[in-house]
Amino acid sequence: MGPGRAPLAELGRPAGQGLKALAALLLPPLVALAHRPQITVDATLSARLARGQTVTVGVTGQDGEVAVVNEQRILLGIGRLDKAGHLAPKRWLVSSN
């Protein structure tokens, strides 16, 4: 079975093979948010969002929760976008460096 397809009863077998075998069964977090629009932010905006600040992005006319990713398409968190293009962090996964 591929990633995300192992029945719970079968997880014991990979567990005996180590963490790499278990990790191969996990889906990337972004897959769980595939139904949400995505906004890509650069390192500067990412750092501001990680500090809880609202930022302005070049997307207007949309309203609601979005998946926020960096330029490498790594999930940074979930944000709230308003129609004016203001993006506020709601649940953040990555801290600023």
Side-chain angles (χ1 to χ4, degrees):
M1 282 193 168
R5 301 280 185 195
L8 190 57
E10 292 184 19
L11 290 178
R13 189 175 334 131
Q17 298 171 4
L19 290 179
K20 277 191 174 183
L22 280 175
L25 298 174
L26 298 176
L27 293 172
L30 195 53
V31 172
L33 299 173
H35 63 287
R36 295 190 192 269
Q38 289 183 14
I39 299 288
T40 302
V41 296
D42 62 19
T44 301
L45 292 181
S46 173
R48 290 182 57 200
L49 288 162
R51 290 191 298 272
Q53 298 175 359
T54 298
V55 299
T56 301
V57 294
V59 178
T60 58
Q62 293 184 29
D63 186 31
E65 290 184 355
V66 295
V68 183
V69 299
N70 66 11
E71 293 162 325
Q72 291 77 38
R73 294 200 20 87
I74 296 172
L75 178 64
L76 302 174
I78 298 172
R80 175 89 181 150
L81 182 67
D82 70 16
K83 292 184 186 241
H86 300 120
L87 177 63
K90 183 171 180 182
R91 298 284 183 261
W92 214 246
L93 304 173
V94 179
S95 64
S96 60
N97 293 335

PDB file of all heavy atoms in Angstrom, residues 68-95:
ATOM      1  N   VAL A  68      -1.219  28.534   3.806  1.00  0.00           N
ATOM      2  CA  VAL A  68      -0.111  29.439   3.508  1.00  0.00           C
ATOM      3  C   VAL A  68       1.145  28.594   3.342  1.00  0.00           C
ATOM      4  O   VAL A  68       1.507  27.816   4.232  1.00  0.00           O
ATOM      5  CB  VAL A  68       0.079  30.488   4.618  1.00  0.00           C
ATOM      6  CG1 VAL A  68       1.195  31.456   4.258  1.00  0.00           C
ATOM      7  CG2 VAL A  68      -1.223  31.248   4.859  1.00  0.00           C
ATOM      8  N   VAL A  69       1.799  28.732   2.186  1.00  0.00           N
ATOM      9  CA  VAL A  69       3.005  27.973   1.882  1.00  0.00           C
ATOM     10  C   VAL A  69       4.141  28.927   1.545  1.00  0.00           C
ATOM     11  O   VAL A  69       3.915  30.081   1.174  1.00  0.00           O
ATOM     12  CB  VAL A  69       2.782  26.985   0.709  1.00  0.00           C
ATOM     13  CG1 VAL A  69       1.700  25.965   1.048  1.00  0.00           C
ATOM     14  CG2 VAL A  69       2.421  27.710  -0.577  1.00  0.00           C
ATOM     15  N   ASN A  70       5.371  28.420   1.672  1.00  0.00           N
ATOM     16  CA  ASN A  70       6.512  29.230   1.261  1.00  0.00           C
ATOM     17  C   ASN A  70       6.820  28.961  -0.211  1.00  0.00           C
ATOM     18  O   ASN A  70       6.096  28.200  -0.875  1.00  0.00           O
ATOM     19  CB  ASN A  70       7.724  29.004   2.172  1.00  0.00           C
ATOM     20  CG  ASN A  70       8.294  27.604   2.080  1.00  0.00           C
ATOM     21  OD1 ASN A  70       7.952  26.808   1.206  1.00  0.00           O
ATOM     22  ND2 ASN A  70       9.179  27.285   3.008  1.00  0.00           N
ATOM     23  N   GLU A  71       7.877  29.553  -0.703  1.00  0.00           N
ATOM     24  CA  GLU A  71       8.209  29.433  -2.120  1.00  0.00           C
ATOM     25  C   GLU A  71       8.611  28.016  -2.524  1.00  0.00           C
ATOM     26  O   GLU A  71       8.602  27.671  -3.696  1.00  0.00           O
ATOM     27  CB  GLU A  71       9.301  30.450  -2.471  1.00  0.00           C
ATOM     28  CG  GLU A  71       8.768  31.878  -2.363  1.00  0.00           C
ATOM     29  CD  GLU A  71       9.844  32.931  -2.279  1.00  0.00           C
ATOM     30  OE1 GLU A  71      10.901  32.676  -1.663  1.00  0.00           O
ATOM     31  OE2 GLU A  71       9.601  34.027  -2.816  1.00  0.00           O
ATOM     32  N   GLN A  72       8.930  27.167  -1.537  1.00  0.00           N
ATOM     33  CA  GLN A  72       9.256  25.763  -1.800  1.00  0.00           C
ATOM     34  C   GLN A  72       8.026  24.866  -1.619  1.00  0.00           C
ATOM     35  O   GLN A  72       8.128  23.652  -1.610  1.00  0.00           O
ATOM     36  CB  GLN A  72      10.370  25.284  -0.861  1.00  0.00           C
ATOM     37  CG  GLN A  72      11.725  25.900  -1.131  1.00  0.00           C
ATOM     38  CD  GLN A  72      11.839  27.322  -0.597  1.00  0.00           C
ATOM     39  OE1 GLN A  72      11.324  27.637   0.477  1.00  0.00           O
ATOM     40  NE2 GLN A  72      12.484  28.179  -1.358  1.00  0.00           N
ATOM     41  N   ARG A  73       6.848  25.473  -1.444  1.00  0.00           N
ATOM     42  CA  ARG A  73       5.565  24.798  -1.253  1.00  0.00           C
ATOM     43  C   ARG A  73       5.513  23.982   0.034  1.00  0.00           C
ATOM     44  O   ARG A  73       4.859  22.955   0.124  1.00  0.00           O
ATOM     45  CB  ARG A  73       5.193  23.934  -2.464  1.00  0.00           C
ATOM     46  CG  ARG A  73       4.928  24.747  -3.700  1.00  0.00           C
ATOM     47  CD  ARG A  73       4.126  24.090  -4.782  1.00  0.00           C
ATOM     48  NE  ARG A  73       3.291  22.959  -4.453  1.00  0.00           N
ATOM     49  CZ  ARG A  73       2.021  23.033  -4.018  1.00  0.00           C
ATOM     50  NH1 ARG A  73       1.468  24.192  -3.802  1.00  0.00           N
ATOM     51  NH2 ARG A  73       1.328  21.955  -3.786  1.00  0.00           N
ATOM     52  N   ILE A  74       6.195  24.457   1.062  1.00  0.00           N
ATOM     53  CA  ILE A  74       6.126  23.855   2.388  1.00  0.00           C
ATOM     54  C   ILE A  74       5.044  24.584   3.167  1.00  0.00           C
ATOM     55  O   ILE A  74       5.014  25.818   3.204  1.00  0.00           O
ATOM     56  CB  ILE A  74       7.482  23.937   3.107  1.00  0.00           C
ATOM     57  CG1 ILE A  74       8.509  23.111   2.347  1.00  0.00           C
ATOM     58  CG2 ILE A  74       7.364  23.481   4.553  1.00  0.00           C
ATOM     59  CD1 ILE A  74       9.927  23.265   2.857  1.00  0.00           C
ATOM     60  N   LEU A  75       4.155  23.820   3.786  1.00  0.00           N
ATOM     61  CA  LEU A  75       3.066  24.410   4.550  1.00  0.00           C
ATOM     62  C   LEU A  75       3.605  25.156   5.761  1.00  0.00           C
ATOM     63  O   LEU A  75       4.335  24.599   6.575  1.00  0.00           O
ATOM     64  CB  LEU A  75       2.089  23.316   5.012  1.00  0.00           C
ATOM     65  CG  LEU A  75       0.909  23.777   5.860  1.00  0.00           C
ATOM     66  CD1 LEU A  75      -0.012  24.701   5.068  1.00  0.00           C
ATOM     67  CD2 LEU A  75       0.148  22.570   6.387  1.00  0.00           C
ATOM     68  N   LEU A  76       3.245  26.427   5.870  1.00  0.00           N
ATOM     69  CA  LEU A  76       3.651  27.258   7.006  1.00  0.00           C
ATOM     70  C   LEU A  76       2.542  27.359   8.039  1.00  0.00           C
ATOM     71  O   LEU A  76       2.806  27.449   9.238  1.00  0.00           O
ATOM     72  CB  LEU A  76       4.027  28.658   6.526  1.00  0.00           C
ATOM     73  CG  LEU A  76       5.147  28.738   5.491  1.00  0.00           C
ATOM     74  CD1 LEU A  76       5.301  30.165   4.995  1.00  0.00           C
ATOM     75  CD2 LEU A  76       6.431  28.198   6.061  1.00  0.00           C
ATOM     76  N   GLY A  77       1.300  27.358   7.583  1.00  0.00           N
ATOM     77  CA  GLY A  77       0.181  27.477   8.503  1.00  0.00           C
ATOM     78  C   GLY A  77      -1.112  27.738   7.759  1.00  0.00           C
ATOM     79  O   GLY A  77      -1.172  27.675   6.534  1.00  0.00           O
ATOM     80  N   ILE A  78      -2.128  28.033   8.520  1.00  0.00           N
ATOM     81  CA  ILE A  78      -3.434  28.392   7.980  1.00  0.00           C
ATOM     82  C   ILE A  78      -3.667  29.861   8.295  1.00  0.00           C
ATOM     83  O   ILE A  78      -3.415  30.314   9.411  1.00  0.00           O
ATOM     84  CB  ILE A  78      -4.550  27.535   8.609  1.00  0.00           C
ATOM     85  CG1 ILE A  78      -4.317  26.064   8.264  1.00  0.00           C
ATOM     86  CG2 ILE A  78      -5.931  27.990   8.140  1.00  0.00           C
ATOM     87  CD1 ILE A  78      -5.240  25.119   8.981  1.00  0.00           C
ATOM     88  N   GLY A  79      -4.098  30.590   7.291  1.00  0.00           N
ATOM     89  CA  GLY A  79      -4.348  32.011   7.473  1.00  0.00           C
ATOM     90  C   GLY A  79      -5.771  32.374   7.120  1.00  0.00           C
ATOM     91  O   GLY A  79      -6.503  31.587   6.525  1.00  0.00           O
ATOM     92  N   ARG A  80      -6.135  33.585   7.487  1.00  0.00           N
ATOM     93  CA  ARG A  80      -7.459  34.127   7.154  1.00  0.00           C
ATOM     94  C   ARG A  80      -7.246  35.289   6.198  1.00  0.00           C
ATOM     95  O   ARG A  80      -6.557  36.262   6.535  1.00  0.00           O
ATOM     96  CB  ARG A  80      -8.161  34.600   8.435  1.00  0.00           C
ATOM     97  CG  ARG A  80      -9.457  35.280   8.199  1.00  0.00           C
ATOM     98  CD  ARG A  80     -10.579  34.290   8.179  1.00  0.00           C
ATOM     99  NE  ARG A  80     -11.829  35.019   7.928  1.00  0.00           N
ATOM    100  CZ  ARG A  80     -12.838  34.489   7.310  1.00  0.00           C
ATOM    101  NH1 ARG A  80     -12.800  33.258   6.917  1.00  0.00           N
ATOM    102  NH2 ARG A  80     -13.920  35.188   7.093  1.00  0.00           N
ATOM    103  N   LEU A  81      -7.800  35.165   5.001  1.00  0.00           N
ATOM    104  CA  LEU A  81      -7.661  36.186   3.967  1.00  0.00           C
ATOM    105  C   LEU A  81      -8.965  36.950   3.840  1.00  0.00           C
ATOM    106  O   LEU A  81     -10.035  36.350   3.814  1.00  0.00           O
ATOM    107  CB  LEU A  81      -7.315  35.513   2.631  1.00  0.00           C
ATOM    108  CG  LEU A  81      -7.084  36.416   1.434  1.00  0.00           C
ATOM    109  CD1 LEU A  81      -5.817  37.248   1.632  1.00  0.00           C
ATOM    110  CD2 LEU A  81      -6.975  35.596   0.166  1.00  0.00           C
ATOM    111  N   ASP A  82      -8.869  38.295   3.789  1.00  0.00           N
ATOM    112  CA  ASP A  82     -10.086  39.075   3.547  1.00  0.00           C
ATOM    113  C   ASP A  82     -10.093  39.575   2.115  1.00  0.00           C
ATOM    114  O   ASP A  82      -9.117  39.447   1.387  1.00  0.00           O
ATOM    115  CB  ASP A  82     -10.251  40.201   4.580  1.00  0.00           C
ATOM    116  CG  ASP A  82      -9.240  41.330   4.448  1.00  0.00           C
ATOM    117  OD1 ASP A  82      -8.570  41.444   3.400  1.00  0.00           O
ATOM    118  OD2 ASP A  82      -9.111  42.103   5.418  1.00  0.00           O
ATOM    119  N   LYS A  83     -11.225  40.138   1.708  1.00  0.00           N
ATOM    120  CA  LYS A  83     -11.386  40.563   0.310  1.00  0.00           C
ATOM    121  C   LYS A  83     -10.436  41.669  -0.112  1.00  0.00           C
ATOM    122  O   LYS A  83     -10.176  41.865  -1.284  1.00  0.00           O
ATOM    123  CB  LYS A  83     -12.835  40.970   0.060  1.00  0.00           C
ATOM    124  CG  LYS A  83     -13.778  39.797   0.128  1.00  0.00           C
ATOM    125  CD  LYS A  83     -15.193  40.192  -0.221  1.00  0.00           C
ATOM    126  CE  LYS A  83     -16.089  39.007   0.023  1.00  0.00           C
ATOM    127  NZ  LYS A  83     -16.769  38.550  -1.136  1.00  0.00           N
ATOM    128  N   ALA A  84      -9.883  42.402   0.851  1.00  0.00           N
ATOM    129  CA  ALA A  84      -8.945  43.478   0.535  1.00  0.00           C
ATOM    130  C   ALA A  84      -7.515  42.965   0.372  1.00  0.00           C
ATOM    131  O   ALA A  84      -6.618  43.734   0.059  1.00  0.00           O
ATOM    132  CB  ALA A  84      -8.987  44.543   1.631  1.00  0.00           C
ATOM    133  N   GLY A  85      -7.289  41.662   0.601  1.00  0.00           N
ATOM    134  CA  GLY A  85      -5.949  41.100   0.444  1.00  0.00           C
ATOM    135  C   GLY A  85      -5.126  41.090   1.710  1.00  0.00           C
ATOM    136  O   GLY A  85      -3.909  40.924   1.663  1.00  0.00           O
ATOM    137  N   HIS A  86      -5.781  41.252   2.867  1.00  0.00           N
ATOM    138  CA  HIS A  86      -5.070  41.181   4.147  1.00  0.00           C
ATOM    139  C   HIS A  86      -5.076  39.738   4.632  1.00  0.00           C
ATOM    140  O   HIS A  86      -6.134  39.114   4.733  1.00  0.00           O
ATOM    141  CB  HIS A  86      -5.725  42.091   5.184  1.00  0.00           C
ATOM    142  CG  HIS A  86      -5.744  43.517   4.764  1.00  0.00           C
ATOM    143  ND1 HIS A  86      -6.925  44.215   4.615  1.00  0.00           N
ATOM    144  CD2 HIS A  86      -4.757  44.368   4.445  1.00  0.00           C
ATOM    145  CE1 HIS A  86      -6.654  45.445   4.214  1.00  0.00           C
ATOM    146  NE2 HIS A  86      -5.340  45.569   4.101  1.00  0.00           N
ATOM    147  N   LEU A  87      -3.898  39.228   4.942  1.00  0.00           N
ATOM    148  CA  LEU A  87      -3.732  37.847   5.394  1.00  0.00           C
ATOM    149  C   LEU A  87      -3.275  37.848   6.846  1.00  0.00           C
ATOM    150  O   LEU A  87      -2.249  38.444   7.182  1.00  0.00           O
ATOM    151  CB  LEU A  87      -2.705  37.123   4.517  1.00  0.00           C
ATOM    152  CG  LEU A  87      -2.351  35.688   4.885  1.00  0.00           C
ATOM    153  CD1 LEU A  87      -3.573  34.777   4.761  1.00  0.00           C
ATOM    154  CD2 LEU A  87      -1.214  35.194   3.999  1.00  0.00           C
ATOM    155  N   ALA A  88      -4.041  37.194   7.712  1.00  0.00           N
ATOM    156  CA  ALA A  88      -3.715  37.097   9.136  1.00  0.00           C
ATOM    157  C   ALA A  88      -3.477  35.634   9.484  1.00  0.00           C
ATOM    158  O   ALA A  88      -4.202  34.759   9.006  1.00  0.00           O
ATOM    159  CB  ALA A  88      -4.843  37.659   9.987  1.00  0.00           C
ATOM    160  N   PRO A  89      -2.476  35.345  10.306  1.00  0.00           N
ATOM    161  CA  PRO A  89      -2.241  33.953  10.694  1.00  0.00           C
ATOM    162  C   PRO A  89      -3.346  33.464  11.623  1.00  0.00           C
ATOM    163  O   PRO A  89      -3.811  34.201  12.494  1.00  0.00           O
ATOM    164  CB  PRO A  89      -0.895  34.009  11.422  1.00  0.00           C
ATOM    165  CG  PRO A  89      -0.801  35.408  11.932  1.00  0.00           C
ATOM    166  CD  PRO A  89      -1.531  36.269  10.938  1.00  0.00           C
ATOM    167  N   LYS A  90      -3.793  32.243  11.419  1.00  0.00           N
ATOM    168  CA  LYS A  90      -4.795  31.646  12.306  1.00  0.00           C
ATOM    169  C   LYS A  90      -4.167  30.493  13.099  1.00  0.00           C
ATOM    170  O   LYS A  90      -4.236  30.464  14.306  1.00  0.00           O
ATOM    171  CB  LYS A  90      -5.987  31.147  11.500  1.00  0.00           C
ATOM    172  CG  LYS A  90      -7.083  30.588  12.368  1.00  0.00           C
ATOM    173  CD  LYS A  90      -8.334  30.306  11.596  1.00  0.00           C
ATOM    174  CE  LYS A  90      -9.385  29.755  12.556  1.00  0.00           C
ATOM    175  NZ  LYS A  90     -10.601  29.424  11.874  1.00  0.00           N
ATOM    176  N   ARG A  91      -3.548  29.541  12.415  1.00  0.00           N
ATOM    177  CA  ARG A  91      -2.801  28.444  13.028  1.00  0.00           C
ATOM    178  C   ARG A  91      -1.463  28.374  12.321  1.00  0.00           C
ATOM    179  O   ARG A  91      -1.409  28.096  11.132  1.00  0.00           O
ATOM    180  CB  ARG A  91      -3.521  27.104  12.854  1.00  0.00           C
ATOM    181  CG  ARG A  91      -4.864  27.024  13.494  1.00  0.00           C
ATOM    182  CD  ARG A  91      -4.722  26.845  15.007  1.00  0.00           C
ATOM    183  NE  ARG A  91      -6.007  26.697  15.644  1.00  0.00           N
ATOM    184  CZ  ARG A  91      -6.663  27.669  16.256  1.00  0.00           C
ATOM    185  NH1 ARG A  91      -6.142  28.873  16.295  1.00  0.00           N
ATOM    186  NH2 ARG A  91      -7.822  27.454  16.817  1.00  0.00           N
ATOM    187  N   TRP A  92      -0.405  28.643  13.056  1.00  0.00           N
ATOM    188  CA  TRP A  92       0.923  28.725  12.435  1.00  0.00           C
ATOM    189  C   TRP A  92       1.775  27.542  12.855  1.00  0.00           C
ATOM    190  O   TRP A  92       1.828  27.186  14.026  1.00  0.00           O
ATOM    191  CB  TRP A  92       1.598  30.049  12.785  1.00  0.00           C
ATOM    192  CG  TRP A  92       2.442  30.540  11.664  1.00  0.00           C
ATOM    193  CD1 TRP A  92       3.795  30.661  11.663  1.00  0.00           C
ATOM    194  CD2 TRP A  92       2.005  30.933  10.377  1.00  0.00           C
ATOM    195  NE1 TRP A  92       4.218  31.114  10.448  1.00  0.00           N
ATOM    196  CE2 TRP A  92       3.135  31.273   9.638  1.00  0.00           C
ATOM    197  CE3 TRP A  92       0.756  30.997   9.747  1.00  0.00           C
ATOM    198  CZ2 TRP A  92       3.074  31.698   8.310  1.00  0.00           C
ATOM    199  CZ3 TRP A  92       0.691  31.415   8.439  1.00  0.00           C
ATOM    200  CH2 TRP A  92       1.835  31.769   7.743  1.00  0.00           C
ATOM    201  N   LEU A  93       2.463  26.928  11.906  1.00  0.00           N
ATOM    202  CA  LEU A  93       3.272  25.743  12.162  1.00  0.00           C
ATOM    203  C   LEU A  93       4.759  26.018  12.202  1.00  0.00           C
ATOM    204  O   LEU A  93       5.508  25.256  12.782  1.00  0.00           O
ATOM    205  CB  LEU A  93       3.004  24.686  11.060  1.00  0.00           C
ATOM    206  CG  LEU A  93       1.546  24.273  10.886  1.00  0.00           C
ATOM    207  CD1 LEU A  93       1.404  23.362   9.674  1.00  0.00           C
ATOM    208  CD2 LEU A  93       1.025  23.603  12.132  1.00  0.00           C
ATOM    209  N   VAL A  94       5.187  27.105  11.577  1.00  0.00           N
ATOM    210  CA  VAL A  94       6.617  27.387  11.422  1.00  0.00           C
ATOM    211  C   VAL A  94       6.942  28.690  12.120  1.00  0.00           C
ATOM    212  O   VAL A  94       6.281  29.700  11.893  1.00  0.00           O
ATOM    213  CB  VAL A  94       6.996  27.481   9.928  1.00  0.00           C
ATOM    214  CG1 VAL A  94       8.458  27.801   9.755  1.00  0.00           C
ATOM    215  CG2 VAL A  94       6.659  26.162   9.219  1.00  0.00           C
ATOM    216  N   SER A  95       7.965  28.675  12.961  1.00  0.00           N
ATOM    217  CA  SER A  95       8.386  29.917  13.601  1.00  0.00           C
ATOM    218  C   SER A  95       9.398  30.624  12.702  1.00  0.00           C
ATOM    219  O   SER A  95      10.007  30.015  11.838  1.00  0.00           O
ATOM    220  CB  SER A  95       9.007  29.637  14.964  1.00  0.00           C
ATOM    221  OG  SER A  95      10.176  28.880  14.823  1.00  0.00           O
TER     222      SER A  95
END
